[in-house]
């Protein structure tokens, strides 16, 4: 199909498609001449994915490029692939270079990375298999520092209780990941992580209201 037909198939304007091509979000079509190219179903699928990432999930172009890069050059193994997908949802600049398999690093040697003592302790206590340089350790540490700065200290025991509760949600997440293709898995993890967060927040508030009514009314 021509670009105009790709536009019709995806509902994305031609200028936007050209932008995706320039930014490397969309792979080039088969050249038919100096100014013409042919596109196929793989381009339709990629455009829909990029649209879902950028418009639906609100990812930046840089984060979306991390996802498409993982698709174009996928790492070996599903665990590393899903690690890249998860880290694409982190704020730009927070993803780091290390994700996925732990390789036995519990976090004691972090190679000059910022210290994350509370996150490291939590991972060790729970026995979680999390890479020692996972950027999510820093994300958790920053969140805990913010709480401390607001004089809202979270005790270690309560933090562990929350972590154990969240592990049940994470189990549902991982069990639902499709394994028929890397693209389907990436799309599921990225969109599932981003789009489920407001759902989980709403469910938490509903549960709080219910339990508050039972305790205090």
């Amino acid at each position: 199909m021509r670009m105009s037909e790709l536009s019709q198939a995806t509902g994305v304007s031609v200028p936007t498609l050209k932008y995706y091509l320039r930014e490397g979000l969309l792979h080039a079509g088969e050249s038919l001449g100096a100014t013409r190219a042919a596109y196929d179903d793989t381009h339709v699928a990629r455009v829909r994915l990029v649209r879902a990432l950028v418009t639906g999930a609100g990812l930046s172009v840089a984060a979306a490029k991390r996802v498409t890069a993982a698709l174009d050059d996928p790492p070996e193994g599903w665990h590393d692939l899903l690690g890249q997908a998860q880290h694409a949802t982190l704020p730009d600049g927070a993803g780091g270079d290390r994700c996925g398999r732990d390789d036995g690093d519990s976090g004691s040697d972090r190679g000059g990375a910022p210290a994350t003592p509370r996150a490291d302790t939590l991972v060790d206590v729970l026995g979680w298999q999390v890479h020692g340089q996972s950027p999510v350790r820093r994300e958790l540490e920053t969140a805990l520092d913010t709480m401390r700065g607001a004089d809202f200290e979270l005790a270690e025991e309560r933090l562990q209780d929350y972590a154990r509760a969240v592990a049940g949600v994470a189990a549902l997440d991982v069990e639902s990941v499709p394994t028929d293709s890397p693209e389907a898995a990436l799309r599921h993890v990225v969109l599932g992580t981003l789009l489920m967060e407001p759902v989980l927040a709403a469910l938490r508030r509903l549960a709080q209201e219910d339990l508050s009514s039972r305790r205090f009314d």
Side-chain angles (χ1 to χ4, degrees), residues 32-100:
L32 299 177
T35 60
R36 298 178 59 205
Y39 304 92
D40 56 27
D41 289 343
T42 65
H43 294 89
V44 174
R46 179 60 59 87
V47 170
R48 288 175 176 167
L49 173 63
V50 171
R51 196 67 169 171
L53 294 174
V54 175
T55 302
L59 282 186
S60 67
V61 170
K65 287 175 71 172
R66 291 198 291 270
V67 176
T68 57
L71 283 173
D72 294 334
D73 185 20
E76 295 183 5
W78 286 100
H79 179 59
D80 294 330
L81 179 68
L82 299 185
Q84 288 196 12
Q86 183 196 61
H87 295 160
T89 67
L90 295 173
D92 290 342
D97 296 326
R98 300 299 296 270
C99 58

Side-chain angles (χ1 to χ4, degrees), residues 56-215:
L59 282 186
S60 67
V61 170
K65 287 175 71 172
R66 291 198 291 270
V67 176
T68 57
L71 283 173
D72 294 334
D73 185 20
E76 295 183 5
W78 286 100
H79 179 59
D80 294 330
L81 179 68
L82 299 185
Q84 288 196 12
Q86 183 196 61
H87 295 160
T89 67
L90 295 173
D92 290 342
D97 296 326
R98 300 299 296 270
C99 58
R101 194 168 306 283
D102 191 338
D103 295 330
D105 183 357
S106 65
S108 59
D109 180 7
R110 298 180 50 78
T116 54
R118 295 189 68 185
D120 296 344
T121 297
L122 177 70
V123 168
D124 290 343
V125 168
L126 297 180
W128 284 358
Q129 298 180 45
V130 177
H131 199 286
Q133 296 184 35
S134 169
V136 186
R137 292 179 185 253
R138 167 48 46 190
E139 187 182 33
L140 174 59
E141 199 75 27
T142 299
L144 294 173
D145 288 344
T146 299
M147 294 182 68
R148 180 180 292 127
D151 292 327
F152 192 82
E153 189 71 32
L154 186 63
E156 297 302 321
E157 294 79 8
R158 182 53 57 89
L159 176 61
Q160 293 168 22
D161 290 340
Y162 274 110
R164 293 186 179 96
V166 171
V169 176
L172 294 174
D173 292 338
V174 175
E175 289 169 4
S176 66
V177 174
T179 56
D180 51 324
S181 72
E183 185 148 356
L186 278 165
R187 187 180 191 279
H188 182 92
V189 173
V190 173
L191 295 182
T193 297
L194 293 171
L195 300 183
M196 274 298 294
E197 285 181 347
V199 174
L200 293 174
L203 289 172
R204 180 189 183 195
R205 287 176 171 83
L206 289 173
Q208 287 173 339
E209 181 175 346
D210 170 67
L211 294 170
S212 174
S213 175
R214 294 173 188 276
R215 178 180 178 186

